[in-house]
């Protein structure tokens, strides 16, 4: 592993009073124990200091020789009351945020694994792993063993464990500890509940991933960026220039019938603004039978042509690496034949290696003042042609002409379209995709759709724009991975 690479994201969560309000469950069980044994137990005090191991708490109310039996009885009746638990605010979104960051959520709790699992199942939480019967040093060890990045808890012992493990510690005041106590115990940030955790997680990861990106670029030393002009490759190009200087970075935008003229003009302007050398070699995808055939692996042949063209140019310039703008979301998108072609040809993927997601790239681009930060996705024109219909320059020009015409008509009609695709479905039929909130407005303007005179029939997709819509028509995309 190089110095720039990051381990997989693992986020640890405490259970009681961090994910779930288990006080009604625990209180009910202690009331039953008190009734069965005739022992006075201040249940309000017990549920007000959740966190320590069960045996430690029971030792406050029972003689030492009775504690093991009370532990057994407690666990025997505990499951009968789990239905009284409550999911705390922000928890569902926080677990989803970890998944969105391509990470794993691990519950690390002092609670016995059997009871903890019952709680998770009852709440419907899906986590990568459950570590039970872990307290203090046990939590710290579990975090270290899993190379965790973040730990979230409500107790000072949770914060101490996170600090000992060297992870970013997030405290929540949904338990019995105050913000001041959690901070003093080592919390990096304290929240009233987990509602704000997704934003905190994104901030922490973005900064770490940007640092990893810059370290990776420094390792590479010099590179040619395969620069499409989109948000990802534009950000990569700008960061490469910042880290390596214009003398060590070259932008390369391939010119072919599949590249809209407007995209080439914008790419030239962007590169000029950075002061970086900009090459515009011609590529010849049409000479590749696999590309023209337009099966599900068309992108493989397109990317192969790009790298087979740009790679020798880099070698002529004495630059060892060619980089693509592949990001972390692309890596798990499930259908990216072009990624395989680039990998086979030795292209590097600094954004992906650093774990940067599309949203993080857009955020960082905006912070840098890059004009591309909110640029709509702009896949090549070939992506508009339905699979199985042979690609030709004439078909690509027809699609580009249709999109240019329709975009101008929509803007002129006061319909503020951002994402727009005209999909060629064959037999002179086309399907229009626009932003989902504009579908109704566009569908009702048959006069504007009638301006697409290159097609006999034009429909509007009721689901709106979505990247890779043509992939949905493939019977078995797995074979093209």
């Amino acid at each position: 592993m190089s110095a720039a690479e990051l381990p997989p994201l693992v986020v640890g969560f405490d259970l009681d009073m961090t994910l779930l309000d288990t006080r009604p469950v625990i209180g009910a069980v202690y009331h039953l124990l008190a009734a069965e044994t005739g022992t006075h137990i201040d249940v309000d005090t017990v549920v007000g200091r959740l966190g320590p191991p069960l045996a430690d708490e029971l030792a406050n109310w029972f003689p030492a020789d009775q504690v093991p039996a009370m532990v057994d009885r407690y666990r025997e009746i505990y499951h009968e009351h789990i239905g009284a638990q409550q999911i705390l605010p922000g928890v569902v979104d926080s677990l989803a945020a970890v998944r969105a960051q391509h990470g794993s959520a691990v519950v690390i709790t002092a609670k016995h694994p059997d009871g903890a699992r019952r709680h998770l199942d009852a709440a419907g939480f899906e986590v990568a792993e459950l570590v039970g019967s872990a307290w203090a040093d046990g939590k710290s060890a579990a975090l270290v063993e899993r190379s965790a990045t973040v730990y979230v808890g409500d107790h000072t012992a949770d914060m101490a464990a996170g600090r000992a493990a060297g992870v970013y510690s997030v405290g929540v005041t949904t338990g019995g500890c105050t913000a001041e106590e959690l901070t003093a115990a080592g919390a990096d940030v304290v929240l009233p509940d987990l509602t704000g955790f997704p934003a905190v997680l994104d901030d922490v990861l973005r900064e770490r991933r940007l640092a990893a990106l810059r370290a990776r670029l420094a390792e590479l030393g010099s590179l040619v960026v395969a620069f499409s002009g989109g948000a990802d490759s534009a950000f990569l190009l700008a960061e490469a220039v910042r880290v390596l200087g214009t003398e060590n970075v070259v932008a390369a935008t391939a010119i072919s019938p599949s590249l809209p003229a407007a995209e080439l003009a914008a790419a030239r302007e962007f590169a000029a603004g950075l002061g970086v050398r900009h090459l515009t070699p011609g590529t010849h995808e049409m000479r590749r039978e696999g590309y023209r055939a337009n099966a599900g692996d068309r992108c493989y042949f397109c990317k192969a042509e790009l790298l087979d063209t740009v790679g020798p140019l880099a070698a002529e310039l004495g630059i060892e690496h060619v980089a693509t703008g592949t990001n972390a979301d692309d890596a798990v998108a499930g259908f990216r034949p072009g990624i395989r072609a680039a990998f086979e040809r030795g292209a590097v993927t600094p954004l992906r290696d650093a774990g940067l997601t599309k949203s993080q790239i857009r955020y960082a681009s905006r912070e840098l003042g890059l004009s591309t930060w909110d640029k709509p996705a702009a896949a090549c024109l070939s992506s508009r042609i339905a699979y199985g219909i042979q690609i030709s320059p004439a078909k690509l020009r027809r699609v580009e002409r249709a999109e240019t015409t329709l975009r101008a008509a929509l803007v002129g009609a006061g319909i503020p379209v951002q994402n727009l695709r005209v999909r060629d479905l064959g037999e002179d039929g086309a399907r229009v995709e626009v932003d989902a909130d504009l579908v109704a407005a566009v569908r009702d303007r048959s006069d504007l759709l009638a301006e697409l005179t290159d097609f006999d029939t034009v429909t509007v997709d009721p689901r709106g724009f979505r990247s890779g819509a043509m992939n949905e028509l493939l019977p078995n995309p797995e074979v093209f991975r």
Side-chain angles (χ1 to χ4, degrees), residues 113-131:
D114 291 343
R117 172 54 61 190
R118 290 177 183 272
H119 275 293
L120 294 176
D121 290 346
F125 294 160
E126 294 184 7
V127 298
E129 187 179 1
L130 166 64
V131 181

Side-chain angles (χ1 to χ4, degrees), residues 283-481:
T283 53
H284 304 285
E285 298 93 325
M286 292 292 177
R287 296 177 183 173
R288 299 195 179 226
E289 182 179 351
Y291 180 85
R292 294 194 309 274
N294 193 25
D297 56 353
R298 181 198 64 241
C299 291
Y300 176 91
F301 299 99
C302 180
K303 191 69 74 175
E305 174 69 15
L306 172 65
L307 271 298
D308 288 346
T309 300
V310 175
L313 292 178
E316 290 176 11
L317 296 171
I319 297 177
E320 183 177 356
H321 305 287
V322 176
T324 70
T326 301
N327 63 47
D329 291 332
D330 296 331
V332 298
F335 188 76
R336 290 288 191 273
I339 290 179
R340 177 165 56 91
F343 174 78
E344 291 172 354
R345 287 156 177 78
V348 296
T349 54
L351 301 177
R352 174 185 178 178
D353 296 344
L356 283 160
T357 64
K358 186 75 169 187
S359 64
Q360 290 171 336
I361 290 166
R362 289 194 182 279
Y363 184 99
S365 295
R366 183 174 59 183
E367 293 293 293
L368 289 176
L370 302 182
S371 59
T372 52
W373 77 268
D374 63 345
K375 183 177 181 178
C380 78
L381 291 172
S382 297
S383 68
R384 277 68 153 177
I385 313 297
Y387 291 119
I389 300 175
Q390 185 153 322
I391 302 290
S392 70
K395 285 187 174 66
L396 298 178
R397 287 194 298 270
R398 180 170 72 164
V399 168
E400 182 177 13
R401 186 165 57 246
E403 288 190 358
T404 301
T405 298
L406 183 56
R407 183 177 292 277
L410 292 173
V411 171
I415 300 175
V417 65
Q418 286 288 318
N419 293 291
L420 168 66
R421 296 286 187 273
V422 176
R423 310 285 192 186
D424 185 340
L425 303 182
E427 298 182 355
D428 291 326
R431 185 181 70 201
V432 172
E433 294 176 18
V434 294
D435 306 288
D437 59 335
L438 298 178
V439 166
V442 175
R443 185 183 56 220
D444 292 341
R445 292 299 302 267
S446 58
D447 57 321
L448 302 181
L449 297 175
E451 296 193 27
L452 303 186
T453 55
D454 285 329
F455 295 94
D456 293 339
T457 59
V458 179
T459 59
V460 178
D461 192 319
R463 292 173 293 176
F465 167 79
R466 57 210 179 278
S467 295
M470 288 301 198
N471 298 339
E472 299 168 5
L473 303 179
L474 286 171
N476 185 16
E478 290 290 328
V479 302
F480 301 113
R481 284 183 186 272

